[in-house]
Structure formats: structure tokens, C-alpha cells
Amino acid sequence: MKINNPFYISGLIVIVALVFLMFFKNQPAKAQYSESINWSDVPEIIDSIREPVFRKVDYLITDFEANSTDALPAIKKAIKKANKEGGGRVIIPKGNWFSKGPIHLKSNVNLHISEGALVTFSENPEDYLPQVLTRWEGTEVFNFSPLIYAYQVHNVAITGKGSIDGNAEDGFATWRDLQGKAQNRLREMGKNGAPVYERVFGMDDYLRPSMIQFFGSTQILIEGVSIHNSPMWVNHIIYSSHVTVRDVTVESYRLNNDGVSIDSSTLVLIEKNSFSTGDDSIVIKSGRDQDGWRVAKPSEYIIIRNNYMEGHNALAVGSEMSGGVRYIFMENNSMGKVSSAIYFKSNLDRGGFIENVRVRNIEVQKADILLRFSTNYHSYKGGVYPALYRDFIIENVTAEKVNIAVKVTGISELPIQDVLVKNVTVDQADVVQQIKYVQNLIYDNVEINGKIVEVDLIEK
């Protein structure tokens, strides 16, 4: 049997998981917080993130005969020339511009959308063909091009104070209720290890593209722009490193409109942004189930700070996290009204791990659930591959009103491990806590409804 056979790999994972479980069931109940990660590491991580640097040469799209009816040909010419000559800024000036199809970025190009500029994309899905290599809900696939797409580029940016409108209302946004058959087929292809070149989806499959996507790229900056009306995930970063997302405004309210999705990427700084979204504001991912194990690229060394979030979930990890997530820092973030404020999610299909997470200085106005750990996220298809959760420190959190303050749902075979919740104040909570299958959950100065509370396990 070949070692790359997915069923062979799945069997090995089950054996390793069982050995792991047997070992940990016999260990004493002692919290283990990694000494290899602490807040003093943040400056070093930030210093190591390289931002792009460009030649001080501008390429104005109006010099390439841009017109408002369809500016895409001029944008393509400007990007090509800038790339060929060593890079610079491709400038979209003030005014309304229409793009009849996707913008594909090249290395050493800064797509600069000037203040007062509005770039509106075509609502016709056919304009986003031919297909490109992407990752759709954690599974690799050839699908419609994202509206702005960069594949294996280096030193690249989207900047400016202008706006980008995905114009999805009458096109891609109508597809969500039609995607089920293709969604399940793609997931089966990922599960069974079908070659990626065979996973080609198109007009009859209704799989929506991301708004902005960087795939396998380095030294990326997204700064200053406002983004609206996305077909699906808004800023999707895949297999990339040295990424900065700063001072971006996202207002996009449909389901699956995650503000920033970090997907199997490393060395990422997300700061000073504003998110009003129909799904997770900021979410960290690393692939889905067997296809995520095959790629085996974790998301790691990620700093999320000084952002504002409202709408659906705020700070999230998962649910597609099969390649693992670790070394995550979230600090000084504030939230208006959200569903889950701090949310870690997977299910028994996922495998993988979430570990070495540090969260502090979070302010929440209103949330359905303030702190949430879930191992029973929906779309479960009957696997036996629990995700490992361990080593979380969450401190200095305040909330005005929540329905549930703390909800932690582990499983008996692999409890969630080593969670310290410290200096948390909730003014008003309908339900204080719902907790089961956790090993070493510690409350330190947790005050809810004016009272200091202790951990109350439903099931150990």
C-alpha cells in the first residue's frame, strides 16, 4: 500500500490519536501552558514581518486608455508594464470605474485605489472564467477567479483610500442556496484524495469565489481600502507569509462574508481595521479534513490587534483547521453586537489542532456567547478524528451583556485542555456557563453578574 494513500494516512492518524488518548488519560490534572509563547514575543514577530517596498514609479491607468465602461484592459496593461519594468504603483484615480472581470496582480505591483475612486466589479459569473487554482472552504479546487487574485507573487499590495464593490447582489450572491451538490462533491473529492487537476468546477456548480485572494505569495500589504458586497470570503490569504492587513474597512453582510480569512499562512499582522460582516470578522483556518491533512500547512505566528468588529462572529479559529493553528495573539480588540466574541470551532471530521493561543484586552458590548469552544461544529460527516485543543490563556476581557458567558464543549475521548480564563468581567449574563469535557480549565478572578464564579462542569 502506498504511503500517500488517504485511507492509509487516515488509519495512521487513528492509531496515533488512540495512543495519544491512552497517554493523556493517565496523566495528572496539571495545567500545561507553553513557556515558548508569551506576549514578549510579539515585538519580535512584528519585526520579522516584511512589508513590501516598491519603486517610486506610478502607472496611471488613464495613460493606458482606461474608461469607466470597462477599465480592466487598461488595468491589465498597467500591471503588466509595471511588473516588467521592476514594479511600482498602478494608480486607479478618483472616479467610478467598472471592471468586467478579475484583476490579477503581479509581483512588485502596488494596486493603489485613490481616495474618491470606486472600482465596481461585473456581476456576471462568466466574466470570472477560466478557472484558477484556489481553496474553497478548505479544499483545493479549480474554480472561478477571485475578483482580485494573486498567484505565487512576491512584494505586492492593494492600498489607497478608495472603495471596492463586489457587486454580488444579482450574480454570485444568488448562488449560495444552489451550491449544495457541488459542495458535497468537492468535499468527497478532498476526502478520497482525488488529484487536484480533476477538481474543476464551473457555471453549473455555483461555488462562489472570494473577493480578494492571495495564493502562495509573500510580502503582502492590504491597507486603507474599503470593501463592500463580496460574493464570499472577503480577504482570503492562502499558503502565504509576511502579510499585513491594516486600516481596512469591510462592510459586507451576507453569510460567508468573512472579513479576513487566514488560511495555512504564517507571519501575519491584522491591525486597526473595522469589520461589519455577515460572518466571522477575522478567522484563522488551515484546510478541511483529509485535504487539509494532505497539504499539512498550519497557520501560525499571527497577531490580531486594535480592530473593531460587529455583525456575526468576531474573533474565530476554524472550522476548517485540519492543518493546525498555533502561536496566535489577539489583543486590544473591541466589539459591538456580535454572535460569538471569541470562538474556537471544529468537529470530529477535522483532526488537526488549535494550541498556543493568547488573548487579552478585549471589550465587548453585546454577544450571544462571549467565550466559546466547540468540537461539534455543523457539517459533521461521521469521522473519528477529534481536533486537539490545548494551551489557551484568555485575560482582561469585559462585556456589558451576553446570553452565555462561557460555553465549552469538548468530547470525552479528547477533552479540551489547559485553558486559563483570567480577569474577566461580564456585567449581565443570562447563562453563566455551559461546560463539559474539559481538562484543566481554570478561572482566576472571573466576575459575572456581580459575583466571582468557579468552574462548574456538566461532564468531566
Side-chain angles (χ1 to χ4, degrees):
M1 183 178 292
K2 293 182 179 180
I3 190 65
N4 62 356
N5 183 298
F7 298 104
Y8 181 76
I9 294 172
S10 298
L12 285 178
I13 291 171
V14 172
I15 293 171
V16 171
L18 289 173
V19 172
F20 181 89
L21 292 173
M22 291 176 63
F23 174 79
F24 271 93
K25 279 194 171 184
N26 293 320
Q27 298 308 298
K30 181 180 179 182
Q32 299 292 325
Y33 304 113
S34 173
E35 296 181 358
S36 65
I37 171 175
N38 56 63
W39 288 105
S40 63
D41 297 323
V42 169
E44 182 180 353
I45 295 171
I46 291 175
D47 288 344
S48 69
I49 297 174
R50 298 189 299 272
E51 293 192 20
V53 178
F54 303 98
R55 290 195 314 153
K56 294 182 179 179
V57 179
D58 290 340
Y59 298 82
L60 190 64
I61 64 168
T62 49
D63 292 338
F64 296 84
E65 301 180 346
N67 64 77
S68 59
T69 303
D70 183 13
L72 182 58
I75 295 171
K76 287 181 175 180
K77 289 176 185 177
I79 289 173
K80 183 177 180 180
K81 186 174 177 64
N83 169 257
K84 184 177 181 179
E85 295 181 351
R89 291 196 310 174
V90 170
I91 297 181
I92 299 178
K94 180 179 179 180
N96 295 330
W97 305 96
F98 184 78
S99 182
K100 194 176 184 298
I103 297 172
H104 286 191
L105 299 178
K106 295 182 180 294
S107 294
N108 300 312
V109 171
N110 175 2
L111 181 67
H112 184 81
I113 304 172
S114 303
E115 186 172 4
L118 170 63
V119 180
T120 302
F121 282 89
S122 168
E123 73 278 15
N124 184 0
E126 292 183 351
D127 290 336
Y128 300 90
L129 297 173
Q131 294 89 336
V132 299
L133 179 61
T134 181
R135 205 183 210 186
W136 197 89
E137 289 191 341
T139 304
E140 287 188 348
V141 63
F142 284 89
N143 193 39
F144 295 92
S145 173
L147 281 58
I148 300 178
Y149 179 67
Y151 177 78
Q152 292 187 347
V153 301
H154 171 70
N155 201 63
V156 65
I158 302 169
T159 66
K161 293 295 185 181
S163 297
I164 305 169
D165 189 339
N167 194 25
E169 293 94 337
D170 298 322
F172 287 120
T174 66
W175 282 13
R176 190 177 187 279
D177 292 339
L178 304 172
Q179 71 187 19
K181 183 182 293 186
Q183 180 184 56
N184 289 330
R185 179 160 60 92
L186 176 59
R187 290 176 179 174
E188 285 300 309
M189 294 177 90
K191 177 180 178 180
N192 296 327
V196 177
Y197 65 81
E198 293 181 359
R199 308 176 194 176
V200 181
F201 288 68
M203 285 300 299
D204 296 327
D205 296 308
Y206 306 107
L207 300 184
R208 297 156 292 154
S210 296
M211 181 86 164
I212 297 171
Q213 186 176 105
F214 291 85
F215 189 108
S217 299
T218 58
Q219 281 185 226
I220 298 162
L221 172 65
I222 308 172
E223 184 173 43
V225 294
S226 297
I227 308 170
H228 311 269
N229 301 325
S230 176
M232 197 172 165
W233 296 353
V234 181
N235 296 283
H236 188 189
I237 312 298
I238 309 171
Y239 309 154
S240 295
S241 62
H242 299 278
V243 179
T244 302
V245 182
R246 177 186 297 125
D247 195 27
V248 170
T249 299
V250 175
E251 295 177 343
S252 201
Y253 302 106
R254 298 179 188 87
L255 198 59
N256 304 128
N257 278 189
D258 298 336
V260 177
S261 298
I262 302 302
D263 198 348
S264 293
S265 294
T266 186
L267 290 172
V268 179
L269 172 62
I270 304 172
E271 66 173 358
K272 302 178 182 178
N273 304 287
S274 177
F275 299 97
S276 298
T277 61
D279 220 309
D280 304 330
S281 289
I282 302 171
V283 61
I284 305 170
K285 300 174 178 287
S286 62
R288 185 184 189 92
D289 305 345
Q290 285 85 347
D291 206 55
W293 308 338
R294 175 185 64 83
V295 174
K297 288 182 180 292
S299 283
E300 57 189 354
Y301 300 108
I302 297 169
I303 297 167
I304 301 168
R305 65 183 187 182
N306 301 317
N307 301 282
Y308 175 77
M309 290 155 274
E310 65 180 14
H312 196 51
N313 302 317
L315 298 167
V317 176
S319 73
E320 303 90 357
M321 38 60 67
S322 299
V325 174
R326 62 191 173 199
Y327 306 130
I328 308 301
F329 297 87
M330 305 175 180
E331 65 173 334
N332 302 327
N333 296 288
S334 61
M335 304 167 197
K337 182 179 179 181
V338 296
S339 294
S340 295
I342 305 166
Y343 190 9
F344 306 97
K345 48 184 172 176
S346 72
N347 65 31
L348 293 184
D349 294 326
R350 293 289 180 267
F353 57 85
I354 305 172
E355 62 183 7
N356 312 132
V357 178
R358 302 292 181 264
V359 183
R360 71 178 182 184
N361 303 340
I362 306 296
E363 296 181 355
V364 182
Q365 291 181 10
K366 187 175 181 179
D368 291 335
I369 304 175
L370 178 62
L371 175 58
R372 185 177 186 182
F373 292 77
S374 174
T375 55
N376 61 353
Y377 193 73
H378 62 74
S379 299
Y380 169 59
K381 293 187 177 296
V384 288
Y385 313 111
L388 171 65
Y389 288 50
R390 66 181 176 191
D391 188 18
F392 301 80
I393 299 178
I394 300 164
E395 56 187 328
N396 302 340
V397 179
T398 62
E400 295 176 12
K401 187 179 188 310
V402 303
N403 291 339
I404 303 174
V406 182
K407 184 171 184 176
V408 184
T409 307
I411 61 170
S412 60
E413 295 81 4
L414 187 59
I416 293 167
Q417 301 171 36
D418 305 329
V419 181
L420 172 60
V421 181
K422 182 178 180 180
N423 297 335
V424 172
T425 302
V426 179
D427 294 339
Q428 182 179 349
D430 297 332
V431 177
V432 171
Q433 56 188 323
Q434 295 177 345
I435 300 172
K436 60 181 179 181
Y437 300 124
V438 184
Q439 186 178 71
N440 305 324
L441 169 62
I442 298 173
Y443 289 171
D444 181 356
N445 190 33
V446 174
E447 181 178 313
I448 301 174
N449 295 332
K451 298 179 181 179
I452 298 295
V453 300
E454 303 294 335
V455 175
D456 183 12
L457 287 176
I458 298 171
E459 293 177 278
K460 296 183 179 181

